[in-house]
Amino acid sequence: MARRSIPQPATLSVILLSLAAPAFAQDLCGGVGSGGQWIGGDAASSDMTTADNFREQLALVMGGNDYVALFTLSETTDVRLEAAGRGAGDPIIDLLHADGSLILSDDDSGGNAASRAETTLDAGSYCMAMRSYDGGPMTAFVRIGRQDHEPLTEGIALQVDPGSSGSCAEAVPIGPLGSSVNGSATDDPYWSFTLDQPTAISITAVNESADPLITLYDGANNYIAENDDHDGFNSRIDMTDPLAAGTYCISLNALADETAPITLTVSAYDPQAAVLAIYDRGEAAPPLDGTVPVTDLGLVSTRIRQDVNGSSIASWFTVDVDAPGLLMLEAIGNASADPVLVIFDDLGREIGRNDDHGNTTDSLIAARVTPGTYTIGVWKYGGSLGLIRLLVERYVPAQ
């Protein structure tokens, strides 16, 4: 797909991940903010509630790392977050609350492989993390602004014409909460549901072959939220704050195969299930209390090899390190397995993530470590099972 060119503002800043982060940000967003940069250059200029215009940076993402933009809101504000890669760059964005919880993720909703998300946030501090879809190096324009500011990207399916054929005015009722329907985005592009009382809800659209994109509107066709690629190529919207009683509309699109059947489900939001899903996707290290199965591989003296029957749900392991050094992690898949790797330190901070190292679909991470316990997650793209060989090697500094 051809990309549109994106002009470079005269005041654009080039931000390198290696720059020192603000000292206070060490614990922001569960530690993610430790490598972050104020989107406006400083804290005062990064308050998007009072900003006179959007804030934008040109970010350099090295292979396997994230770029993190920090911003604040002094009161409840409608915001837009965007990332558009240069050249063949394909960015993915995550929005995190100050406490480290994931608010939303997006891949291609900006159009032309760009990322875009619009939502309403309460006053507070936030982190927008951006990474490359394929785990390789990338430069991308990052823009954060209010929804009344000029957008960076073209966007996909951000508006509904209530008078057009097949719009929300003619949406098909999906049924009560807990109901699912199955059909292509071409056959049934709009669905509706009704809430009898204020309710927090979850909406999922599942079929990676279709690459679904879902957008939620209220009964007056006002945009509420959207998602693409929340879990692989599947989509999910969690409205953790209860929606008011009334009728709502879901716009269903397919970015890959428009004829592929998509399973669309609307259910009551389950906070415990949402947390477990974060662990299943490898977005955070699970607790070591038995909530999630974790295999202890013991002390890494030289090397450990472990075979994993990989699926799209992360398998978790811990290793112990008793001296400073370097851990080299490899995940090698068989013909049907495309593995992904992530490693967290004993405080739950992500210190490495990789998919498709070099010209292969295998994964590789090199991480400097100090004595402690490290948690490793490995999974594969796609719903089928596949053998993954996990290798953990320890290297010590030369004397």
Side-chain angles (χ1 to χ4, degrees), residues 166-259:
S167 72
C168 279
E170 301 178 10
V172 179
I174 196 172
L177 288 182
S179 298
S180 297
V181 293
N182 188 268
S184 71
T186 300
D187 293 338
D188 294 296
Y190 296 97
W191 295 89
S192 66
F193 64 94
T194 300
L195 301 177
D196 296 329
Q197 60 186 7
T199 309
I201 65 161
S202 295
I203 304 170
T204 59
V206 179
N207 186 345
E208 291 197 337
S209 297
D211 190 3
L213 165 68
I214 50 176
T215 310
L216 176 64
Y217 302 89
D218 66 14
N221 297 302
N222 295 311
Y223 170 88
I224 298 176
E226 69 174 343
N227 182 256
D228 174 38
D229 297 349
H230 181 270
D231 180 10
F233 291 119
N234 297 321
S235 298
R236 180 185 183 106
I237 294 174
D238 286 322
M239 301 304 299
T240 57
D241 292 329
L243 294 175
T247 298
Y248 295 83
C249 170
I250 303 168
S251 170
L252 179 64
N253 288 273
L255 302 181
D257 184 353
E258 295 183 349
T259 64

Side-chain angles (χ1 to χ4, degrees), residues 16 37 41 62-63 69 78 99 123 167 172 175 186 198 246 259 263 266 305 348 358 362 367 397 399:
L16 302 179
Q37 305 294 328
M62 304 306 292
D78 296 333
D99 63 9
S167 72
V172 179
T186 300
T259 64
T263 300
V266 181
R305 194 184 79 172
D362 297 331
Q399 300 298 318

